[in-house]
Amino acid sequence: MQHTILTGDRPTGPLHLGHYVGSLRNRIELQGKHRQFIMIADAQALTDNMGDLAKVRRNVLEVALDYLAVGLDPAKSTIFIQSQISELAELAFYYLNLVTVARLERNPTVKEEVRSRGFERDLPAGFLTYPVSQAADITAFRSTLVPVGTDQQPMIEQTNEIVRRLNTTTGQDVLVECAALIPEFGRLPGIDGQGKMSKSAGNAIALSASPDEIKAAVREMFTDPKHLYIDDPGQVEGNVVFTYLDAFDPDRATVEELKAHYRRGGLGDMAVKRRLEGVLQDLLAPIRARRAQYAKDPGEVLNMLAKGCDTAREVAAQTLHDVRRALGLTYFA
Ligand code: TRP
């Protein structure tokens, strides 16, 4: 079966290994087999970055470069910029009447994000309602599959509620429900082992990291704090270096041997880190090289994005037309 896929990222900083494991890897695998739309969610980024508009603007091109660098191919995936598709905003405006404020306040992802941003006292209405805008993004393309990290699962549920409610309210099958595609690996911890990798937590390795930055990040990486001497038995669970080997080392057998050796004792952190550093350098070197190539011609990247926007707009306009008609909001032949 062929799916239609929509995913996206907020352009608030360079993409990192967490994005790679959580979603980019799936997207590369899926492109060509399915119809894939990839959105740079600049409008959504405004919901919590109104104080730093320059950051959002600057990172649109950076995220596009990251996409191209990891191998997302504009010939196979439609890459576009959210704010340029005003149909998405109009859909969201109608969908807002299909959810309650209480339901949005109960959304676990929103709750957690409100807390982490200190929005308890002054919550922007746009932030509270961004799941509705996300439902507009997903349904505008009639997406059936949404590759997202585990933390975005409640967004998919909320989207499907809106879909069912619109279909029931209008008595027509206007919109289709979607399923989340959760990455096999789950979410990648930051290099400090404290929660997930994120730029704001300062525990990320960017896809565009230099060889020295990669080296330094691996050197700092959290291991087993109780593994003081090489001969001591060490713990693999919660040891970030091993978690990353699991996520990135293609040689599974060697990783299993290293784990057994570490648990037994006699294997030092430095040796394991050296292996991981090699794995990450090998993974990121071609990505960095491709990025540099595309970065030489930003005009070409913008052309690619403009074409993606045209394609995306055509599809979203059709859905908007259907939704308006179902709501009875068409008046002139
Ligand atoms: N919320 C996503 C992020 O923070 C970006 C996004 C916007 C998105 N709309 C979406 C993801 C629709 C999946 C589907 O990166």
Side-chain angles (χ1 to χ4, degrees):
M1 165 179 173
Q2 228 219 358
H3 279 291
T4 301
I5 296 168
L6 175 100
T7 54
D9 299 278
R10 299 179 191 190
T12 52
L15 301 184
H16 51 62
L17 287 178
H19 295 108
Y20 188 74
V21 168
S23 164
L24 295 172
R25 210 152 57 170
N26 268 337
R27 297 180 200 174
I28 298 161
E29 169 68 28
L30 292 164
Q31 75 176 346
K33 297 186 193 140
H34 303 279
R35 189 164 186 223
Q36 182 160 251
F37 294 89
I38 301 174
M39 180 179 76
I40 304 182
D42 60 341
Q44 187 178 105
L46 297 192
T47 64
D48 63 340
N49 287 281
M50 231 28 196
D52 199 350
L53 294 169
K55 177 176 80 180
V56 175
R57 182 175 172 80
R58 184 174 68 241
N59 280 299
V60 169
L61 186 66
E62 297 301 319
V63 169
L65 287 171
D66 284 333
Y67 286 164
L68 295 168
V70 295
L72 290 173
D73 176 358
K76 295 182 185 154
S77 300
T78 300
I79 304 175
F80 69 98
I81 307 174
Q82 185 184 27
S83 63
Q84 303 308 292
I85 318 297
S86 52
E87 284 80 357
L88 299 176
E90 188 175 336
L91 281 172
F93 186 64
Y94 300 139
Y95 294 176
L96 279 168
N97 304 306
L98 299 165
V99 286
T100 63
V101 171
R103 173 66 180 89
L104 289 164
E105 285 171 342
R106 269 197 318 268
N107 182 312
T109 307
V110 173
K111 258 182 160 167
E112 162 57 28
E113 290 177 336
V114 164
R115 203 173 319 122
S116 67
R117 285 161 180 72
F119 276 164
E120 287 98 336
R121 278 168 18 93
D122 285 305
L123 178 60
F127 190 84
L128 179 66
T129 56
Y130 95 75
V132 179
S133 141
Q134 196 148 323
D137 305 333
I138 293 169
T139 56
F141 299 94
R142 301 184 194 281
S143 320
T144 49
L145 199 63
V146 186
V148 285
T150 16
D151 52 327
Q152 292 276 311
Q153 181 101 47
M155 299 298 167
I156 306 298
E157 281 162 34
Q158 183 121 50
T159 298
N160 287 335
E161 281 176 34
I162 291 174
V163 168
R164 287 191 292 269
R165 209 154 286 164
L166 185 84
N167 290 348
T168 318
T169 305
T170 62
Q172 298 176 42
D173 278 333
V174 209
L175 300 178
V176 293
E177 291 191 43
C178 63
L181 179 69
I182 301 296
E184 196 190 321
F185 189 79
R187 70 188 202 181
L188 194 73
I191 61 167
D192 55 1
Q194 306 282 356
K196 72 167 175 176
M197 178 174 282
S198 83
K199 175 153 196 297
S200 52
N203 62 9
I205 300 178
L207 293 172
S208 50
S210 68
D212 282 346
E213 286 167 334
I214 297 168
K215 194 189 191 77
V218 174
R219 197 181 321 120
E220 270 180 52
M221 212 171 264
F222 181 82
T223 60
D224 171 6
K226 296 205 191 92
H227 185 241
L228 296 176
Y229 301 99
I230 291 183
D231 287 338
D232 288 347
Q235 197 176 328
V236 165
E237 291 68 33
N239 184 320
V240 177
V241 182
F242 280 104
T243 308
Y244 281 36
L245 283 174
D246 277 336
F248 301 110
D249 194 332
D251 183 355
R252 310 304 320 148
T254 303
V255 172
E256 289 312 314
E257 274 168 36
L258 288 172
K259 284 184 185 171
H261 192 176
Y262 194 80
R263 288 194 173 109
R264 227 175 26 242
L267 182 62
D269 281 359
M270 276 312 296
V272 194
K273 285 187 169 182
R274 255 196 310 276
R275 176 166 187 95
L276 177 63
E277 199 210 315
V279 167
L280 293 183
Q281 298 286 11
D282 288 351
L283 173 72
L284 294 178
I287 294 178
R288 192 184 315 115
R290 263 197 307 267
R291 198 181 200 285
Q293 201 57 37
Y294 286 111
K296 279 190 203 154
D297 195 350
E300 196 45 49
V301 179
L302 282 174
N303 272 340
M304 178 279 286
L305 289 170
K307 270 199 213 115
C309 287
D310 288 343
T311 307
R313 192 175 302 111
E314 224 172 278
V315 178
Q318 182 60 53
T319 306
L320 175 61
H321 174 82
D322 296 347
V323 167
R324 277 203 204 171
R325 202 180 39 203
L327 291 170
L329 301 176
T330 47
Y331 303 99
F332 315 111

